[in-house]
Amino acid sequence: MSKLNMGPVKAFNVMKTCFGGFEDVGACKVEFKNYKRQINLFMGEYDADMVVIFVYNSRIVVLTGTNRYAMVFVLFTGIDNHHCNGTFGAALLASKTADTYIWLLRVFLKVVGSQPKVVVTDQDPAMKKAISAVFVDTRHQLCMWYVMHKLSLKVGVSLCNSTNFKERICGVVWTDILTPEEFESEWEVVIGEFNLADNDWLSDIFALKESWIPTYYRMEEMSGLMRMTSRSESENHFFGQVCNSKATLVEFMTHYETAIEAQRHMHWKNDHESRYKRPQLKSNYQLLEGQAADIYTKSIFCDVQAELIGIADCIN
């Protein structure tokens, strides 16, 4: 239960339910708490050493630093052939400096062997510097979710809640049907209508428009990554369930492994369904649709199927 980030009290209550009563657990709540404390005392100063030994033997994740309370958890996340998040690697860093990130990206590049085509991050200036130094052939984009997530904070909650400003600005931002010229014109209209020309944050993100607005890279490969709000939200939630700022490094490592195991299980499950469960054909192009069902994974096929069905509406 500790691997699932359950505290001693919740673990005690779960075991009571499993065994049928408090008297059948074999220990009291205080003993559960004491057991947890004894484990931490046993780890003591060897906490980081134990993790380094584990990582050296398994070669799964890169770790550095020994500070239990002030480390940075960095994830390398991509999208697998089922449209699901996949973790390529992770690191615990002692600081968020450009030099630290440069070291991390070089290690990642050495392990993976090639630079990614696109990297999506938040607006961390140190990370931006590191990416330009190490991933010289990579296009660096800003995650739209991270940018727009700050909207209410930067322009005011009352403006976002009591007017249609948020709806208007999102309508301009979250689309790729506008040309760059149309986007800039629509943006100015909304900013002028709500008297926000003097808002420094809006001016700053507009100056960075080519790094996060879809219209500027709508024809590029993997451009849809930047518009997927659910990617960042689901990844934060997924690892947030196992992250605990008070955990020792060994505890954190076991929590991380539990999360990765769940992720891999879902990938294998999706592989199995794609390989052995044939989807129902629905379009008027059964031969083409059948070939797509043989080639693509289930998730990708659903996208192709929707396009094939839509073709019928476009043909005279």
Side-chain angles (χ1 to χ4, degrees), residues 174-198:
W174 292 98
T175 179
D176 57 5
I177 64 172
L178 299 176
T179 65
E181 294 76 17
E182 290 171 335
F183 161 76
E184 293 172 16
S185 176
E186 292 290 330
W187 175 278
E188 290 181 5
V189 169
V190 176
I191 297 301
E193 183 178 331
F194 291 92
N195 300 314
L196 292 170
D198 295 329

Side-chain angles (χ1 to χ4, degrees), residues 102-121:
I102 287 173
W103 170 85
L104 174 61
L105 295 183
R106 283 175 176 167
V107 172
F108 180 80
L109 184 59
K110 182 178 179 181
V111 173
V112 175
S114 61
Q115 298 181 24
K117 294 181 179 179
V118 179
V119 172
V120 186
T121 71

Side-chain angles (χ1 to χ4, degrees), residues 22-273:
F22 290 114
E23 66 279 0
D24 298 318
V25 174
C28 66
K29 192 180 297 185
V30 174
E31 289 174 307
F32 270 62
K33 294 180 180 179
N34 290 341
Y35 182 74
K36 169 76 170 176
R37 185 169 63 251
Q38 288 167 0
I39 289 177
N40 290 340
L41 288 174
F42 174 77
M43 292 176 187
E45 60 182 307
Y46 304 107
D47 187 23
D49 294 331
M50 294 168 69
V51 174
V52 170
I53 292 172
F54 173 82
V55 173
Y56 180 78
N57 290 332
S58 62
R59 300 184 181 180
I60 292 174
V61 61
V62 178
L63 298 178
T64 181
T66 59
N67 190 328
R68 174 179 171 183
Y69 298 106
M71 300 185 74
V72 185
F73 182 40
V74 181
L75 283 169
F76 292 88
T77 302
I79 298 176
D80 67 14
N81 54 339
H82 303 286
H83 271 178
C84 295
N85 287 351
T87 302
F88 297 146
L92 284 173
L93 302 178
S95 65
K96 298 174 68 175
T97 65
D99 288 340
T100 304
Y101 284 141
I102 287 173
W103 170 85
L104 174 61
L105 295 183
R106 283 175 176 167
V107 172
F108 180 80
L109 184 59
K110 182 178 179 181
V111 173
V112 175
S114 61
Q115 298 181 24
K117 294 181 179 179
V118 179
V119 172
V120 186
T121 71
D122 60 12
Q123 292 175 269
D124 187 341
M127 180 62 77
K128 179 181 179 180
K129 182 178 179 181
I131 290 172
S132 62
V134 181
F135 292 162
V136 294
D137 298 325
T138 298
R139 174 149 189 178
H140 181 201
Q141 297 286 358
L142 301 179
C143 176
M144 294 186 67
W145 180 80
Y146 278 111
V147 175
M148 296 301 289
H149 189 61
K150 301 176 183 178
L151 188 64
S152 297
L153 176 66
K154 298 296 185 178
V155 303
V157 176
S158 59
L159 180 64
C160 290
N161 293 344
S162 60
T163 70
N164 67 339
F165 166 73
K166 189 172 184 179
E167 179 183 351
R168 291 283 307 281
I169 200 71
C170 286
V172 174
V173 168
W174 292 98
T175 179
D176 57 5
I177 64 172
L178 299 176
T179 65
E181 294 76 17
E182 290 171 335
F183 161 76
E184 293 172 16
S185 176
E186 292 290 330
W187 175 278
E188 290 181 5
V189 169
V190 176
I191 297 301
E193 183 178 331
F194 291 92
N195 300 314
L196 292 170
D198 295 329
N199 187 287
D200 292 337
W201 181 77
L202 287 172
S203 299
D204 289 342
I205 63 171
F206 180 76
L208 297 171
K209 57 185 180 294
E210 294 184 13
S211 296
W212 67 283
I213 296 295
T215 187
Y216 292 96
Y217 51 83
R218 57 181 175 168
M219 301 307 291
E220 290 194 17
E221 220 175 342
M222 301 174 69
S223 62
L225 287 174
M226 276 63 78
R227 296 198 299 275
M228 295 296 231
T229 61
S230 59
R231 297 292 175 189
S232 297
E233 289 176 301
S234 62
E235 197 72 349
N236 288 342
H237 175 72
F238 179 67
F239 283 98
Q241 295 177 94
V242 298
C243 288
N244 182 350
S245 60
K246 296 181 180 180
T248 63
L249 290 177
V250 172
E251 287 177 309
F252 181 85
M253 194 69 201
T254 57
H255 296 166
Y256 172 82
E257 284 298 297
T258 300
I260 292 298
E261 186 179 353
Q263 193 178 86
R264 288 172 181 157
H265 172 75
M266 181 56 65
H267 181 81
W268 293 331
K269 179 176 178 290
N270 290 334
D271 274 350
H272 179 83
E273 290 186 356

